[in-house]
Amino acid sequence: MPRNAPASVTIQQGQEESGRACGVHWQVRVFVGSTQDEQPHRRSCVRLLVRRRQYAPAKQGRQPMVSCTKEFLLSPGKLHLNVILDRQIYYHGEAVNVQVNVINNCNKQVKKVQVCVVQVCDVALGTTADIRNTIATIQSQEGCPVVPGFSLGRTYHLCLHPQGKHQRRGLALEGQLKVEETSLASSTLFTHPGGGQHFGIVVSYVVRVKLVMGTLAGELVAEVPFTLMNPPPDDSLAAPVREGRQENLEERARLVIEECQRTSISDMLRGGQESQESVDNTLPDTTDDYQVFSTEEPRQPTRNGDMK
């Protein structure tokens, strides 16, 4: 596959929808034909659905953080919000640790803190669309209200695999297979700048922190992007897996060959019997044209009703 090829992504369908799901799918196709460009018949073609993945880099990037400030009309002072993540790259199944620091130098009160993880899916297949889904959320009132002149510091833990979220319509998942469960779609990484135009679906994740101050005061929102991907494969662990798969493949090939040979022999035997029956059916009936004479004289019966 090309190095800059997009990973497998599937957009989750609703319960009322049917047909093939929208996304980026990969398959291996083997067919028998005269040329490579011809359209093979369905009975002369075999398709195998495969999943293409992107693995996370071996090194972590800079620690994500963001700071924002809000001023109020006809009110002195400012409200400061600082959001820090413990690292940039997270693996599937791990929890995201979000540190929130609030400094209230205004005359408003912070009544509630809301922290959530949002999946942003940019779809460029046909029509451009931006799909946002909330993966996990926490609403907390611990330490609230934050009155003027006070501060708040809390660390929130959000799990990226909440129960029942995979059934939500519009959620981006990794390429689905028939015999294996799938997880959330990994973040899309570009091998070179400007490579986003070759990707049909671009997936990213952000942590969204919102400070609720009431109807009149409004809200203060900050978003911090992070990366969610599969862990990089370990060569020492991948080698035995590849060897085991190779052994299983050779065993299956041997069984298939034996089954084909057994089937071919049985077909030959069955074909020989059918050919013999066809020959017997094609022979002419000569009993009407010829009479068969025997040189032996018939024996007399030894008993009544006993004749050989």
Side-chain angles (χ1 to χ4, degrees):
M1 290 187 179
R3 185 178 180 182
N4 57 347
S8 300
V9 181
T10 301
I11 304 299
Q12 181 68 31
Q13 292 180 328
Q15 297 181 358
E16 69 281 358
E17 297 177 349
S18 60
R20 190 171 184 179
C22 176
V24 179
H25 308 277
W26 293 91
Q27 65 178 1
V28 178
R29 185 176 64 175
V30 180
F31 64 93
V32 178
S34 301
T35 61
Q36 184 178 358
D37 299 332
E38 71 173 335
Q39 294 295 332
H41 195 272
R42 186 175 182 181
R43 290 176 296 185
S44 302
C45 180
V46 177
R47 293 180 175 88
L48 176 64
L49 188 64
V50 296
R51 178 189 297 169
R52 176 176 172 81
R53 289 182 174 179
Q54 278 187 335
Y55 292 99
K59 297 182 179 180
Q60 290 280 346
R62 298 178 58 183
Q63 186 177 12
M65 62 178 62
V66 65
S67 299
C68 58
T69 304
K70 183 174 183 179
E71 298 181 358
F72 300 91
L73 184 64
L74 302 178
S75 298
K78 299 180 181 180
L79 179 63
H80 301 274
L81 173 61
N82 187 20
V83 182
I84 303 174
L85 304 183
D86 55 346
R87 61 181 185 272
Q88 181 186 12
I89 301 176
Y90 293 90
Y91 302 145
H92 292 286
E94 293 183 345
V96 179
N97 301 321
V98 185
Q99 182 180 353
V100 179
N101 298 319
V102 180
I103 301 176
N104 190 1
N105 294 329
C106 62
N107 57 359
K108 306 295 182 180
Q109 295 184 4
V110 178
K111 300 181 179 180
K112 184 172 58 176
V113 179
Q114 181 179 356
V115 184
C116 59
V117 175
V118 181
Q119 181 193 72
V120 182
C121 185
D122 186 8
V123 182
L125 300 175
T127 59
T128 304
D130 189 8
I131 305 175
R132 300 174 71 93
N133 287 286
T134 301
I135 307 301
T137 182
I138 294 178
Q139 292 185 3
S140 175
Q141 293 183 351
E142 296 182 4
C144 297
V146 183
V147 297
F150 285 80
S151 61
L152 173 67
R154 288 286 187 276
T155 301
Y156 303 93
H157 308 278
L158 294 95
C159 181
L160 299 182
H161 282 283
Q163 298 293 333
K165 295 296 183 181
H166 285 10
Q167 303 299 328
R168 179 181 301 176
R169 181 179 182 273
L171 190 65
L173 307 175
E174 283 193 342
Q176 295 182 351
L177 299 179
K178 294 182 179 180
V179 296
E180 186 177 345
E181 296 183 358
T182 184
S183 60
L184 295 173
S186 301
S187 301
T188 304
L189 298 182
F190 304 120
T191 56
H192 59 279
Q197 58 183 357
H198 302 291
F199 289 70
I201 299 177
V202 179
V203 182
S204 60
Y205 292 89
V206 296
V207 173
R208 191 170 186 264
V209 180
K210 180 171 64 175
L211 303 181
V212 180
M213 291 166 287
T215 305
L216 299 179
E219 302 171 346
L220 177 58
V221 180
E223 291 186 352
V224 185
F226 68 95
T227 303
L228 177 65
M229 300 196 70
N230 296 294
D234 189 359
D235 295 337
S236 60
L237 298 178
V241 174
R242 289 194 296 264
E243 293 177 359
R245 290 180 179 177
Q246 184 66 23
E247 293 178 358
N248 295 335
L249 182 61
E250 294 177 357
E251 182 68 17
R252 284 188 224 160
R254 186 177 64 83
L255 294 176
V256 170
I257 292 174
E258 290 182 356
E259 184 66 24
C260 292
Q261 291 178 353
R262 190 180 303 110
T263 304
S264 61
I265 293 174
S266 61
D267 292 342
M268 291 174 59
L269 295 177
R270 191 182 302 109
Q273 293 178 0
E274 293 178 355
S275 61
Q276 184 65 28
E277 292 178 358
S278 62
V279 170
D280 295 341
N281 294 332
T282 55
L283 288 177
D285 189 5
T286 58
T287 55
D288 296 338
D289 300 335
Y290 300 95
Q291 294 183 358
V292 180
F293 298 92
S294 177
T295 56
E296 296 182 358
E297 295 181 359
R299 297 181 181 180
Q300 297 296 330
T302 57
R303 297 180 183 179
N304 296 332
D306 185 6
M307 177 178 290
K308 294 185 180 180

